Amino acid sequence: YSKVLFTTCEGDETPSLSFFKDAYSEAEGVAAKIKGYHDEGLPLNGIGVLYRSNFLSLPVQLALSKLNIPFAVYGGIKFIETAHIKDVLAFLKVHHNPKDELSLSRILMLLEGIGPKTAEKLKDIVIYGQRQGENDFLKDVVKNPSVRKELAHVADLFDSLKRTPEIQDKIKKIIHFYTPVLKKKFDDYPVRQDDLRAFMEIASSYKSLEQFLVDFVTIEPPERSVVGIEGKKEDERPVTLSTIHSAKGLEWEVVFIIALAEGSLPVSYALDDEESTEEERRLLYVAVTRAKRHLHLSMHNEGRNGGMSSLNRLSR
């Protein structure tokens, strides 16, 4: 059958394409536009933000939190509630405030052979940097010499953080220390490594560690999924953040598609394979057809690759 397709939706607005300096300013631009739509009377649940990979949503989660705009992560949990991000944040919190006992316990229990009781006894040693490798007290508490060695490494890390001024460099050191733990702890560690890279990229735009921690803590406890929000009043339902894969079959009045750069969409591992690239093209088609009335596409020019700044190219 020859198809004759037409739209019943009146309007002459074309999709917009915006360019931003970095992921952070892109997220702030998107959040400001969302606030504008809401101020004009559009319910927040009529707005969707789509992206190829989960880690790309971190800047948007932060930017929406700063403007007190509620959001739900579709088919997942909020970035800040993931275990690996909580682990890395625990190091930063203890570095900033050595008396944060909850975060310190979390760090100690990352080490193999240390449970809640041992962690309780060890907190003072780590907080006050009393390494005392051969100290009788430490030997009484921790019988295993390899665990004592690990503890010395934790103390060394905190010493090193004190001598490191830049937030980004602090996080780099923490991630370097944490990577072996990450690989042991999670089967899907490559995905989580992407999250940590995004985390570090956001940190690079902050001058003050205190402000960075304050902004992260403002992200409220998670809405586990969109399902739990169906009972809320129309104007209280949050903005939806979703991967394009999870958005199949859904529609919003306004759709933002972010990070439209080579390596993000199409994703980097699809670049050398024609079939995979075509699959990525179909995915973008799914994304753009989620919008009923307004479609906003965007990308940021500066990316970070292994800590190095790199220039992004607009997605083909």
Side-chain angles (χ1 to χ4, degrees):
Y1 298 103
S2 63
K3 296 189 179 101
V4 183
L5 301 176
F6 60 92
T7 176
T8 54
C9 178
E10 294 294 320
D12 54 8
E13 182 186 322
T14 52
S16 72
L17 174 60
S18 306
F19 298 89
F20 295 91
K21 179 176 181 281
D22 51 29
Y24 203 67
S25 52
E26 181 181 23
E28 288 184 338
V30 168
K33 267 207 173 102
I34 289 173
K35 186 178 185 306
Y37 276 117
H38 189 233
D39 290 346
E40 287 166 19
L42 181 75
L44 289 174
N45 70 323
I47 302 172
V49 181
L50 305 181
Y51 36 84
R52 175 63 177 83
S53 309
N54 256 317
F55 72 91
L56 296 166
S57 73
L58 168 63
V60 181
Q61 292 188 32
L62 269 176
L64 291 173
S65 296
K66 280 185 181 176
L67 295 180
N68 290 323
I69 297 171
F71 64 89
V73 181
Y74 194 85
I77 60 172
K78 291 189 180 178
F79 193 92
I80 194 72
E81 288 297 314
T82 51
H84 52 297
I85 294 296
K86 282 182 163 177
D87 288 344
V88 171
L89 267 175
F91 283 95
L92 282 173
K93 286 176 175 176
V94 171
H95 167 59
H96 181 65
N97 171 23
K99 292 188 171 61
D100 184 342
E101 297 191 358
L102 212 62
S103 297
L104 186 54
S105 294
R106 186 179 187 102
I107 292 167
L108 292 170
M109 285 191 289
L110 290 174
L111 308 181
E112 243 173 78
I114 293 183
K117 283 183 180 171
T118 313
E120 192 60 41
K121 293 175 185 167
L122 285 172
K123 280 189 303 205
D124 283 353
I125 294 177
V126 179
I127 284 177
Y128 300 111
Q130 297 161 349
R131 207 152 325 144
Q132 300 164 342
E134 298 307 310
N135 185 291
D136 292 339
F137 173 62
L138 187 56
K139 277 187 173 174
D140 284 346
V141 177
V142 183
K143 306 288 184 213
N144 186 330
S146 68
V147 179
R148 287 204 297 272
K149 197 174 172 184
E150 277 297 293
L151 279 169
H153 287 158
V154 174
D156 287 341
L157 173 65
F158 281 115
D159 282 348
S160 170
L161 293 179
K162 284 176 196 163
R163 299 191 299 274
T164 308
E166 298 291 327
I167 301 174
Q168 194 183 354
D169 295 335
K170 290 179 195 284
I171 294 175
K172 207 180 280 181
K173 286 182 175 180
I174 292 167
I175 291 173
H176 178 73
F177 177 87
Y178 179 66
T179 300
V181 180
L182 182 78
K183 288 180 177 176
K184 228 178 254 179
K185 203 173 165 185
F186 304 106
D187 293 338
D188 61 346
Y189 71 86
V191 176
R192 293 174 189 258
Q193 280 177 316
D194 280 340
D195 286 352
L196 293 174
R197 274 195 285 276
F199 182 78
M200 190 154 74
E201 193 170 324
I202 292 298
S204 66
S205 61
Y206 281 83
K207 293 282 176 276
S208 145
L209 175 60
E210 190 171 0
Q211 191 54 52
F212 179 69
L213 290 171
V214 165
D215 281 356
F216 262 79
V217 174
T218 60
I219 301 183
E220 58 200 56
E223 301 280 6
R224 292 282 156 187
S225 72
V226 172
V227 181
I229 315 152
E230 293 306 321
K232 290 189 178 180
K233 285 198 212 105
E234 192 74 7
D235 61 345
E236 289 174 357
R237 292 190 198 167
V239 172
T240 302
L241 271 50
S242 172
T243 59
I244 300 169
H245 278 111
S246 299
K248 287 177 182 174
L250 302 172
E251 284 186 320
W252 295 270
E253 291 293 314
V254 181
V255 167
F256 294 87
I257 309 172
I258 62 167
L260 283 172
E262 291 285 299
S264 294
L265 179 70
V267 73
S268 51
Y269 56 73
L271 294 175
D272 301 329
D273 174 27
E274 202 175 319
E275 204 174 309
S276 300
T277 306
E278 278 310 303
E279 182 53 43
E280 295 290 298
R281 198 188 303 280
R282 287 192 284 277
L283 205 54
L284 179 58
Y285 177 76
V286 167
V288 300
T289 52
R290 299 309 91 203
K292 293 184 191 177
R293 293 197 171 274
H294 308 284
L295 175 63
H296 300 287
L297 311 167
S298 64
M299 72 160 288
H300 53 274
N301 294 316
E302 282 180 18
R304 286 194 180 275
N305 200 344
M308 297 289 288
S309 264
S310 60
L311 283 177
N312 294 329
R313 278 188 308 143
L314 181 64
S315 166
R316 64 192 69 187

